Amino acid sequence: METLTKPASTDSKASAAKQVKRKWPNSLWKSLKDQKYLLLMSMPFVIWVFIFNYLPLWGWTMAFQNYKPAKSFMEQEWVGFDHFVELFSDERFYLVLRNTLAMSMMGLVVGFIFPIFFAILLNELRGKFFKRTVQTVSYLPHFVSWVVVAGIITKMLSTDGGIVNDILLALHIIDEPIQFMAQGNLFWYIVTASDLWKEMGWNAIIYLAAITGIAQELYEAARVDGASRWRQMWHITLPGIRSTISVLFIMSIGHLISIGYEKQFLLGNSLVTDYSEVLDLYALNYGLQMGRYSYGTAIGIFNSVVSVILLFAANGLFKKLTKESIM
């Protein structure tokens, strides 16, 4: 009997597998046919992403060449990993990496936590007109160019008529004006505070949208049980937007090393270069401006690879700890 039942079970499994294989193309084509309009609507965005995000990856080949603009691709001299060896042998690179990570971590801690609490407190306001006014005023700086913001910050911290020094002198906290923009040990804090003022209101919008999705019955039940507004925020509002916080935090970690260079370039000066120069600015100064395109590309590849590793690591860690992930 055993010799008869084993082939029968094997044949049934094989026939079932064949049926699944026959059904799979039909179900796929049926799904594509049912969603053809959605696919057509998404095609322009897919094409845009391919042209501006994936097609430029071809330029990464320059990092493995001694690239000369006047020569064609086949005429370039291939040098392998020489530019990466030079990059990791440069002491300036580690100084720049320190600045990048320091400002990234400060921006992640301050710039991520404050918008959450700002959105929660803004949601608790009862006056609709006052609430909308505060929200509008808070996110308007997002639309101001960093060129303008840098000018405002520099003027406010100036020793000649700067409002910050005037207030500190009036309160007798200091005896003489402080040259904030000339002290490297203060530069990271200035950049972090400037970025917080500019982006806090804008970043809070997504949390406000997530809060509106929380069922109002939970708040009503909490009020019936005698819970204060602080307890409602802690036990209902924060858990209600936990998924949004987790996803945005994972994405923020992915951009930990890719912080751009606009803030540092506009607020920095020659006196604070050792604290203001970040990876993107390093690639600009020692790569593009000096005509070392291959070296600049190597810096960009390092930046991108580390960002991808951080993103996957953070996503895997959060998936294990909180069951929340973006993949």
Side-chain angles (χ1 to χ4, degrees):
M1 294 296 292
E2 292 180 358
T3 56
L4 294 176
T5 55
K6 287 182 180 179
S9 61
T10 304
D11 293 340
S12 63
K13 290 180 180 179
S15 61
K18 289 180 180 179
Q19 290 178 0
V20 171
K21 288 182 179 179
R22 285 196 297 267
K23 290 181 179 179
W24 181 78
N26 296 331
S27 61
L28 176 62
W29 285 112
K30 187 177 183 301
S31 300
L32 293 176
K33 184 178 179 181
D34 294 340
Q35 301 179 10
K36 58 183 178 181
Y37 295 110
L38 292 175
L39 293 173
L40 289 174
M41 291 173 61
S42 63
M43 283 305 295
F45 301 100
V46 173
I47 294 172
W48 184 88
V49 170
F50 176 76
I51 293 175
F52 293 100
N53 291 85
Y54 288 96
L55 197 60
L57 291 178
W58 172 259
W60 278 13
T61 56
M62 288 192 299
F64 307 97
Q65 303 170 339
N66 188 14
Y67 181 76
K68 302 296 181 183
K71 296 182 179 180
S72 65
F73 178 78
M74 299 303 297
E75 296 175 340
Q76 300 295 336
E77 177 188 358
W78 293 86
V79 295
F81 292 92
D82 289 355
H83 296 296
F84 292 94
V85 173
E86 181 183 359
L87 176 65
F88 295 130
S89 302
D90 187 6
E91 294 181 0
R92 187 73 185 178
F93 166 73
Y94 295 99
L95 178 65
V96 169
L97 185 61
R98 180 207 66 178
N99 298 337
T100 304
L101 292 175
M103 281 183 273
S104 296
M105 292 299 297
M106 292 173 65
L108 181 63
V109 174
V110 177
F112 187 80
I113 295 176
F114 273 73
I116 297 174
F117 288 101
F118 178 71
I120 294 174
L121 295 176
L122 191 62
N123 183 68
E124 293 297 318
L125 294 177
R126 293 293 176 257
K128 291 185 178 180
F129 176 77
F130 181 69
K131 178 180 178 179
R132 291 175 180 174
T133 303
V134 172
Q135 185 178 359
T136 302
V137 172
S138 65
Y139 73 66
L140 278 179
H142 170 78
F143 301 98
V144 180
S145 170
W146 265 110
V147 177
V148 178
V149 173
I152 295 173
I153 298 299
T154 303
K155 182 60 180 176
M156 289 178 61
L157 299 177
S158 173
T159 57
D160 185 15
I163 188 173
V164 175
N165 275 307
D166 289 346
I167 292 174
L168 294 177
L169 288 171
L171 295 175
H172 301 288
I173 298 176
I174 58 176
D175 297 327
E176 58 182 12
I178 301 175
Q179 295 183 351
F180 290 98
M181 304 305 296
Q183 299 190 26
N185 57 344
L186 297 178
F187 184 81
W188 296 347
Y189 301 98
I190 294 172
V191 170
T192 303
S194 303
D195 192 45
L196 178 65
W197 171 77
K198 188 176 185 298
E199 302 294 343
M200 183 176 68
W202 179 260
N203 293 335
I205 293 177
I206 192 168
Y207 299 112
L208 286 169
I211 290 172
T212 57
I214 301 175
Q216 294 300 314
E217 291 80 3
L218 297 175
Y219 293 101
E220 294 174 3
R223 284 193 290 269
V224 170
D225 291 339
S228 63
R229 294 176 69 178
W230 288 105
R231 287 190 173 273
Q232 292 176 38
M233 286 187 286
W234 183 257
H235 294 288
I236 298 177
T237 307
L238 271 176
I241 62 174
R242 186 185 64 181
S243 298
T244 304
I245 294 174
S246 298
V247 171
L248 292 179
F249 188 70
I250 292 171
M251 296 178 67
S252 298
I253 292 178
H255 291 90
L256 191 65
I257 203 170
S258 302
I259 61 173
Y261 66 90
E262 294 88 352
K263 304 183 288 289
Q264 292 78 12
F265 179 76
L266 294 169
L267 291 172
N269 54 69
S270 58
L271 298 175
V272 295
T273 304
D274 290 342
Y275 292 88
S276 65
E277 194 171 23
V278 292
L279 278 173
D280 289 337
L281 197 56
Y282 177 70
L284 178 65
N285 293 334
Y286 290 86
L288 300 180
Q289 289 186 357
M290 299 178 65
R292 303 170 66 193
Y293 302 106
S294 298
Y295 190 69
T297 306
I299 300 170
I301 291 177
F302 171 81
N303 201 339
S304 301
V305 170
V306 172
S307 297
V308 171
I309 293 173
L310 288 174
L311 178 62
F312 278 94
N315 185 71
L317 181 62
F318 270 76
K319 193 172 184 179
K320 288 183 177 180
L321 297 178
T322 65
K323 308 301 179 184
E324 302 285 347
S325 66
I326 61 175
M327 304 176 191

